[in-house]
Amino acid sequence: MAAQTRDPSAVSFYETFNDQLARLPATIQPDVRAFYEMNGWRPVWTEDRRRQLQAAAARAERHGLSQGDFFDFDALANDRTGGEMRTTAAALGYGRVLAEGRVRPETVEDLWEMQKNRVDLPVGLNDALAQSRVVDWFEGLAPTDIGYSNLSAGYVRYRRLIRDNGGWPAFRPGANIEPGGSDPRIPALIRRLVAEGDISAADGARLTAMGNVYGPDVEAGVRSFQGRHGLVSDGRIGAGTQRSLSASAEDRARQIALNLERRRWLKRDLAPERIEVNTAAAIMVYWKDDRPVHSNRVVVGSPENQTPSLEKPFASVVANPPWYVPAGIARNEILPRGPAYLASQNMYISNGTVIQRAGPQAALGYVKFELRDSYAIFLHDTPSKATFNLAMRQRSHGCVRVQNAIDFARLLLSPDPSLLGQFDSALDSRNTRRIQTGREISVRLLYWTAFVDGQGRVAFREDVYRRDEKLAEALGIAVSLPAVVADGRTDANDVGP
């Protein structure tokens, strides 16, 4: 193969190509080779193109990334021998992180089975350079959905808060603070609430002048804070609220960055109709025509029986479902209680499997939402309605219990009155019946510990599954998040999936 130009720098680049390529990390070499093959083995980085690349890199912060982790433009410009190829490698490496994330999700989650995003980066970068659309191309590699965009804007706000004000005052844990009381920590608490927008700056100045009084206006700000953190919004500043208040702005910013990374793993073209369950928040959202139209509280897997990250099609609704008890639950929690317990729970054994008959007290309630090929993970009703009122709803054996499940089933079947009629008839008859949905609805089980809520506020959940901790370690990010404070309520008779 002959060099296709007489330009001395291009000839030198061509002749030393393989030696320069060998100095790059092995993981990036195939993409770099493919890129230069498209460009006739010639240098591509003109001054104008470098400026475009620098403009794209300057936006790294909005993705929770640091430009310096990918680019040292001074060093690249001064490297006359290898700067050209190293610039390409840096651009492709940054593009890969925006498009697919920095770490492989399977390395930080025990079970992660979702559709990954995949991009042909050499072709994309080549086209972007040819069309002078470098900044737009890089920005288009990251997710562009409203969830990512809003969280990205939230990250920038928290970083600005840290730069301009040093974050917020540390909240010193201590005795509970009751509404109407007085406490010397109240002025620092007010500044803390103002920093994140739970109290306006004007109200903050007025309330601070009132001293240590924990009055109604401060309490309203605390209730807002509690709602954003998934805590019981009672205005009492107890152990759980104090733990959440103790988090620094730096730690919350880093927690947002971890969740931006999780979102980059996922494919970009989402089904316009889908069910999304956030297992960290124990909340389910139903999307129709790409808009959130319905939400429910849910109960998800406990820290010992975590609900996995899955994406599966929703296949059918089962009215009055029996429960085929998984072997582990049967062996550890049901069979040791003896025959009398099985009889009291309307259970029997068939071919070595414990089965609970359908009924008002059955663990699956009146309806089950079946997922295709889902490791026995599914959504269902439950007779344990009081659990939905708890702040910490990570309590199941891994399946997802849906609040107001019958109403939700009717909502899903309502586009076809005949299917809805079949479901209602089955409920009335108390007979088990499977009703196909007549269309494919994607179900996504996700783990978001930072997200933007319906009021446009950044909401946080504590890392109940400790997945933030594991991801932060993989990314080399030091983060210290508050430990989860359990409310201590347990039900020994709750053996449902």
Side-chain angles (χ1 to χ4, degrees), residues 429-447:
S429 70
R430 298 295 187 233
N431 293 324
T432 300
R433 182 167 185 180
R434 177 175 286 100
I435 298 106
Q436 301 296 328
T437 58
R439 65 194 188 281
E440 194 115 295
I441 304 174
S442 173
V443 177
R444 307 169 82 216
L445 308 182
L446 307 156
Y447 189 72

Side-chain angles (χ1 to χ4, degrees), residues 466-489:
R466 303 186 73 172
R467 294 180 188 172
D468 278 355
E469 184 180 311
K470 198 168 182 179
L471 178 56
E473 184 179 350
L475 290 169
I477 295 175
V479 64
S480 177
L481 297 173
V484 175
V485 177
D487 57 20
R489 304 182 198 181

Side-chain angles (χ1 to χ4, degrees), residues 105-254:
E106 303 91 335
T107 64
V108 291
E109 295 201 21
D110 292 336
L111 178 58
W112 191 95
E113 189 169 304
M114 307 194 75
Q115 296 185 44
K116 296 180 182 178
N117 197 48
R118 286 289 178 259
V119 175
D120 189 333
L121 291 169
V123 168
L125 179 59
N126 182 66
D127 292 347
L129 290 171
Q131 299 165 20
S132 295
R133 295 185 65 255
V134 174
V135 173
D136 290 343
W137 179 70
F138 275 105
E139 288 300 291
L141 291 175
T144 56
D145 63 278
I146 190 170
Y148 185 92
S149 299
N150 285 348
L151 193 59
S152 167
Y155 180 82
V156 172
R157 287 201 307 274
Y158 275 72
R159 277 286 155 218
R160 187 180 301 122
L161 177 66
I162 293 166
R163 279 196 300 268
D164 296 348
N165 303 311
W168 50 64
F171 183 84
R172 179 170 44 82
N176 292 354
I177 306 176
E178 302 291 341
S182 178
D183 192 281
R185 293 170 290 176
I186 294 299
L189 170 66
I190 292 170
R191 293 198 299 274
R192 171 78 165 81
L193 297 174
V194 168
E196 287 188 283
D198 294 300
I199 292 178
S200 70
D203 284 344
R206 175 177 59 83
L207 295 169
T208 299
M210 297 171 65
N212 298 338
V213 178
Y214 184 33
D217 290 344
V218 182
E219 181 185 342
V222 169
R223 289 178 183 270
S224 170
F225 176 91
Q226 290 172 326
R228 283 196 303 112
H229 290 76
L231 302 164
V232 175
S233 296
D234 57 7
R236 296 183 67 253
I237 308 176
T241 299
Q242 291 193 37
R243 290 278 184 94
S244 292
L245 284 168
S246 71
S248 70
E250 183 67 47
D251 283 326
R252 289 307 191 195
R254 291 177 179 180

